Amino acid sequence: MPRGSKHVNFIQNYIDGKFVAGQRDFADVNPANGSVIAQVSEADQDLVDRAVQSARKSLSGEWGHTSVRERAAALRKVADAIESRFDCFVAAEVADTGKPISLASRLDVPRAAANFRAFADLISAAGIESFQTETADGKSALNYAIRKPLGVVGIITPWNLPLLLLTWKVAPALACGNAVVVKPSEETPASATLLAEVMQTVGISDGVYNVVHGFGPASAGEFLTQHPDVNAVTFTGESQTGATIMKTVAPSVKPVSFELGGKNAGIVFADCEFDDAIAGIADAVFLNTGQVCLCAERVYVERGVFDRFVSALKRKAENLRVGSPLEPSTEMGPLISKQHREKVISYYSLAREEGANVVAGGGIPEFGNALDNGFYVQPTIYTGLAESARCVKEEIFGPVCHVTPFDTEEEAVHMANDTKYGLAASIWTSNLKRGHRVAQQMNAGITWVNCWFLRDLRTPFGGMGLSGIGREGGMHSLNFYSELNNICIRL
Ligand code: NAD
Ligand code: 6OH
């Protein structure tokens, strides 16, 4: 498609308050039908450098002198402006990801506005650490730590919850007075660019929020992480990409915050509220076509209710309304891309080779219309695999789980923790003591009891092992996006 075609949009980079085109374009594809919805301008090394320099310049300009109160007010204006363009953001997110319009309307776009409001509140209320220190001579000293911006923060995000995950980092970074250069996923460039329009409209100073488009290696992602004037990198995506970025930033010792992959467990005890557990686990397996880092791909069910549980989850999978994302009643859309579908389908084949019993799905649905050009897969449930099977060990990132029976609490805890990842877990029981006891044994950054993906933005969020480095959320975000300068005064 030529640039400026009447049939597709042209998505540009946003640098120093202006929309800027690079030398090369790439296609933005709608996963629901394979059509090209936009051409995207790729940022080369020179454009990434311009974005970083414009961010740096903004720190010594008006933005660098804003008070906390002014920054909090600016963040609230951004939240209001996202809401006033709600339908536009929903449409962009649905077209780029293929997620159901109902999901983008209840999760992604409201959370983007909530992210800005939450960090406006947090920075307004944040105190500073202080200690009065007794000295050997019987006198004392006063210590207090002030918070300063890191400087220019590079933000790299994935395609599964593009606006939610981007704003989860942009909001605290700006609250702390930084300037940012964001690199959204090449699969989902639209909402970060719409956010640039919002920043422009509400009068955020030029250079404070920049967007560069492109890929990872030898493209905008790598150019940004290796840039010597980027002071910190915050990244959400695959564990392997995190490892690569770590190598790239090592020579300049940049602080990193990594929210990476998972192979999360759900543990269902026989004493659970059965219908709640089924609804919760079905959400945890199939929400966003299973493309949420927190999704449960391993479900452990106490033997006494195993057969009943598997039958009920099968009914849920088979009754899910899979279809056009634009249809309000649709519950599940396609996967993000042809390439990702190939990966998920290769795991569906592998599960059979490894000896799985296919309880539901396992293939590609047929619609008999344009959706057959989309990247759909069936919601899928397996049983019967050994815990060592690759399908039980590796992150698939699709609408799929393996269900394993257990006999004792210890066995369930052992199997749930037998993973190199450590992001999230959910436990389903009506025994309060057991809920606490098992939750406290989970090797995970986030454990839910009788719920899943219930968020309070003040709480620590992140993973252990291959699932990440550090925590964001609440004060943890304020601490990551700030440098602390401890001042010690002899009294
Ligand atoms: P990905 O790692 O392939 O890509 C993420 C981003 O990194 C994209 O913007 C990509 O262009 C960029 N990138 C790729 N290689 C790079 C490089 N060498 N240097 C710099 N940037 C590079 O991940 P994805 O496929 O977009 O997302 C799915 C993955 O993200 C899953 O593993 C999922 O579990 C994980 N995820 C984790 C969380 C969390 O909070 N822990 C949240 C969402 C997704
Ligand atoms: C991963 O796909 C989901 C991450 C969710 C968050 O980072 C959040 O803040 O809710």
Side-chain angles (χ1 to χ4, degrees), residues 27-39:
D28 178 14
V29 171
N30 182 338
N33 55 25
S35 65
V36 173
I37 44 180
Q39 289 294 325

Side-chain angles (χ1 to χ4, degrees), residues 285-340:
V285 176
F286 302 123
L287 190 86
N288 207 40
T289 320
Q291 302 166 119
V292 180
C293 57
L294 309 161
C295 276
E297 291 189 357
R298 298 180 294 138
V299 182
Y300 299 98
V301 180
E302 197 166 352
R303 201 175 298 275
V305 291
F306 182 80
D307 289 343
R308 186 172 156 224
F309 184 91
V310 170
S311 305
L313 194 63
K314 172 183 165 73
R315 273 197 302 282
K316 280 275 185 196
E318 291 177 347
N319 291 334
L320 268 182
R321 285 188 289 263
V322 181
S324 164
L326 295 172
E327 181 59 52
S329 62
T330 293
E331 294 168 313
M332 199 178 103
L335 293 168
I336 187 67
S337 63
K338 185 165 183 283
Q339 194 191 11
H340 187 52

Side-chain angles (χ1 to χ4, degrees), residues 156-160 165 183-186 214-217 221-222 225 235-238 241 244-245 259-262 293 395 397 423 461 467:
I156 300 185
T157 47
W159 43 257
N160 59 333
L165 293 172
K183 209 297 283 172
S185 168
E186 56 274 30
F215 304 83
E222 186 176 306
T225 52
F235 167 74
T236 302
E238 278 188 19
T241 313
T244 305
I245 292 177
E259 300 187 336
L260 309 178
C293 57
E395 182 185 51
F397 220 53
L423 187 58
F461 185 95
S467 292

Side-chain angles (χ1 to χ4, degrees), residues 12-221:
Q12 300 187 71
N13 304 286
Y14 183 68
I15 297 173
D16 204 15
K18 290 166 214 65
F19 288 93
V20 185
Q23 305 293 319
R24 285 196 313 206
D25 305 338
F26 60 93
D28 178 14
V29 171
N30 182 338
N33 55 25
S35 65
V36 173
I37 44 180
Q39 289 294 325
V40 189
S41 176
E42 184 179 354
D44 56 17
Q45 192 141 20
D46 177 53
L47 280 190
V48 173
D49 184 52
R50 276 168 57 188
V52 174
Q53 296 317 334
S54 85
R56 165 87 35 227
K57 194 176 70 184
S58 76
L59 292 168
S60 49
E62 191 188 8
W63 180 250
H65 296 98
T66 49
S67 63
V68 166
R69 207 167 42 161
E70 287 165 331
R71 288 205 298 273
L75 261 55
R76 291 198 176 95
K77 277 194 200 159
V78 174
D80 293 345
I82 290 172
E83 281 170 352
S84 70
R85 301 186 66 182
F86 190 87
D87 292 346
C88 226
F89 275 102
V90 168
E93 212 69 331
V94 168
D96 268 6
T97 62
K99 70 179 67 205
I101 191 163
S102 58
L103 182 60
S105 307
R106 78 167 187 272
L107 174 67
D108 301 72
V109 180
R111 248 305 289 280
N115 285 339
F116 282 101
R117 292 207 179 97
F119 287 105
D121 291 348
L122 273 157
I123 196 71
S124 303
I128 55 174
E129 225 179 325
S130 77
F131 297 93
Q132 184 147 2
T133 310
E134 290 175 4
T135 51
D137 58 5
K139 295 186 179 166
S140 69
L142 176 66
N143 283 279
Y144 66 97
I146 58 161
R147 213 174 269 123
K148 303 209 286 190
L150 289 163
V152 177
V153 180
I155 299 180
I156 300 185
T157 47
W159 43 257
N160 59 333
L161 306 168
L163 184 67
L164 185 161
L165 293 172
L166 181 80
T167 53
W168 174 239
K169 293 175 181 297
V170 171
L174 297 190
C176 293
N178 300 284
V180 301
V181 179
V182 310
K183 209 297 283 172
S185 168
E186 56 274 30
E187 308 281 1
T188 54
S191 55
T193 316
L194 268 180
L195 188 62
E197 290 180 15
V198 160
M199 297 286 178
Q200 208 174 38
T201 311
V202 306
I204 301 293
S205 308
D206 293 350
V208 172
Y209 174 83
N210 303 275
V211 185
V212 291
H213 290 295
F215 304 83
S219 184

